[in-house]
Amino acid sequence: LARFPQSPQCYYHIGVASYQLAVQFYEAEATEDSSNLAHLVVLHLAAARENLELARESAEAGKLAPQKTGRTESPWLPEDERMLEEARALADARDPAPMCVPLPDAVGWRFMNYRT
């Protein structure tokens, strides 16, 4: 993160981590009575949405798009799609309840080699 803080890979990983933190704070809210946790849920959902969108809109992500590569496989995992959809849907919610999105073992910015 310190070497390339403006990279789309960094934005992606911060977005995924922020979403997962929002879910953890939301689940902790059920066992603890704290308005601070609700505030953290809102903050982390906003960070997740912003960072995942920055990663997706980057020039590097554009190069990985199926319409550019001719591949049918998207560089985005279905879990990435669900986290972004959920973060967008809850953007203006007063009391957001983010859905838990379990991460696969191979989560991360997918490296795709397009050399032929």
Side-chain angles (χ1 to χ4, degrees):
L1 292 175
R3 283 184 71 193
F4 303 104
Q6 303 295 316
S7 70
Q9 295 89 343
C10 183
Y11 291 134
Y12 169 82
H13 288 284
I14 290 172
V16 170
S18 295
Y19 185 85
Q20 295 299 318
L21 281 171
V23 171
Q24 287 180 1
F25 287 129
Y26 173 73
E27 290 172 350
E29 216 179 0
T31 58
E32 298 176 27
D33 187 26
S34 174
S35 62
N36 189 39
L37 289 177
H39 178 68
L40 290 173
V41 171
V42 171
L43 285 177
H44 283 289
L45 280 174
R49 186 187 77 244
E50 178 183 353
N51 283 286
L52 289 171
E53 286 175 346
L54 283 170
R56 176 167 288 185
E57 294 165 2
S58 71
E60 190 167 337
K63 293 177 190 173
L64 298 174
Q67 52 278 30
K68 292 271 187 181
T69 63
R71 298 228 176 173
T72 57
E73 184 178 82
S74 169
W76 295 93
L77 299 171
E79 291 82 3
D80 300 332
E81 298 289 345
R82 282 198 298 275
M83 286 186 286
L84 183 55
E85 286 172 11
E86 192 71 6
R88 283 177 175 162
L90 297 173
D92 297 324
R94 233 166 107 164
D95 234 355
M99 172 183 69
C100 180
V101 178
L103 298 176
D105 292 336
V107 70
W109 185 274
R110 293 172 72 184
F111 174 75
M112 303 182 109
N113 186 357
Y114 295 105
R115 248 187 230 179
T116 55

